Amino acid sequence: FPGDRYVHARFVKLVEEEIMGALDRLHSSHPMHMGFAKKDLFKELKTDHDMVERVLSGLLKNTRIKLTGRGYQIPERAPSLQPDQQNVADKILDVYRKTGFVSPRLDELPAIVGAPSATIQPVVDFLVQAGDLVIVSDKVVLDRASLEESGRKLVEYIKANGTVESGAFKDVLGTTRKYSIPILEYWDSIGLTRRVGNLRYLKQNQAERM
């Protein structure tokens, strides 16, 4: 290992297998998860964190594991949708693409799609992890294209006007405050805009982001 720590190769092998076993258990417990955060992995391990960090680097280098946007994953255990789930996923995405900025809540999907909540929930989890759906707030969900469109419209409006008032943004999107306010708060939260009272400004160096 780099630095001043030396360990026997046999111990490294044991730690590798401990990590692989922990990830395997996590995949089994959460089959639709695309990856697991380091904090969740550490809960499954007894080896000290510094050693785990070093061994993780080796496992990534030899591709036994993969680091996704959702965390660490055994590539062979990556989730996929079954044909019946893919059919539900297509229906869900079609709903959100068509409704745009007046999209339904997640709890409204069973009646719209014609599938029980128990069937819909794992599919929604998959679509959110894949980035096809975005949970903007507890009541607002958008498909990725609509969210990105809202960001472009927001940037264009502020560039033209210097700022945007929260009430005006609903007209920019052609929706209501029920949707426009959570969308504005989403863009605040990821650093595209900053809020000053009832106004939003583009954050410094964000003008060319969208």
Side-chain angles (χ1 to χ4, degrees):
F1 281 105
D4 58 0
R5 186 170 184 179
Y6 297 89
V7 295
H8 197 285
R10 185 177 300 172
F11 180 63
V12 174
K13 182 69 173 178
L14 289 174
V15 177
E16 287 179 347
E17 295 313 312
E18 182 187 11
I19 292 170
M20 296 300 292
L23 279 174
D24 187 66
R25 291 192 299 274
L26 288 169
H27 277 295
S28 295
S29 299
H30 309 281
M32 297 303 286
H33 280 32
M34 293 184 178
F36 301 93
K38 194 177 292 182
K39 62 181 179 63
D40 297 320
L41 181 57
F42 282 157
K43 292 176 184 177
E44 298 285 322
L45 303 171
K46 297 180 180 179
T47 305
D48 73 85
H49 292 182
D50 180 60
M51 185 64 187
V52 170
E53 294 273 11
R54 294 167 184 253
V55 176
L56 278 172
S57 296
L59 290 171
L60 287 168
K61 187 175 181 179
N62 64 29
T63 69
R64 289 187 67 190
I65 64 173
K66 178 181 179 181
L67 184 58
T68 73
R70 292 285 169 166
Y72 294 95
Q73 172 199 96
I74 298 174
E76 296 79 12
R77 299 295 302 273
S80 61
L81 296 177
Q82 299 299 314
D84 58 333
Q85 291 178 313
Q86 186 61 59
N87 183 51
V88 172
D90 292 341
K91 290 181 179 179
I92 291 172
L93 290 175
D94 187 57
V95 166
Y96 282 100
R97 287 165 181 159
K98 287 179 177 177
T99 55
F101 303 121
V102 289
S103 57
R105 300 189 310 272
L106 292 177
D107 61 6
E108 296 175 306
L109 284 178
I112 297 171
V113 174
S117 179
T119 298
I120 287 175
Q121 189 57 57
V123 175
V124 167
D125 290 344
F126 181 91
L127 293 174
V128 169
Q129 291 182 81
D132 296 318
L133 288 183
V134 180
I135 308 294
V136 175
S137 74
D138 59 349
K139 294 183 179 179
V140 178
V141 179
L142 297 178
D143 70 286
R144 173 60 61 180
S146 294
L147 180 67
E148 292 178 351
E149 181 184 355
S150 77
R152 287 192 296 270
K153 288 178 179 290
L154 178 59
V155 169
E156 289 170 2
Y157 187 93
I158 296 178
K159 282 183 177 180
N161 298 277
T163 186
V164 64
E165 191 267 331
S166 58
F169 191 57
K170 68 180 177 60
D171 298 322
V172 173
L173 296 183
T175 188
T176 66
R177 291 174 66 90
K178 170 185 174 182
Y179 296 95
S180 64
I181 297 301
I183 292 171
L184 279 173
E185 291 173 347
Y186 171 86
W187 290 116
D188 292 341
S189 72
I190 67 167
L192 180 66
T193 52
R194 62 183 176 90
R195 179 181 178 181
V196 180
N198 201 34
L199 300 176
R200 261 80 176 185
Y201 298 82
L202 284 180
K203 277 196 171 180
Q204 189 175 8
N205 301 322
Q206 295 301 311
E208 303 303 324
R209 179 170 176 169
M210 302 304 295

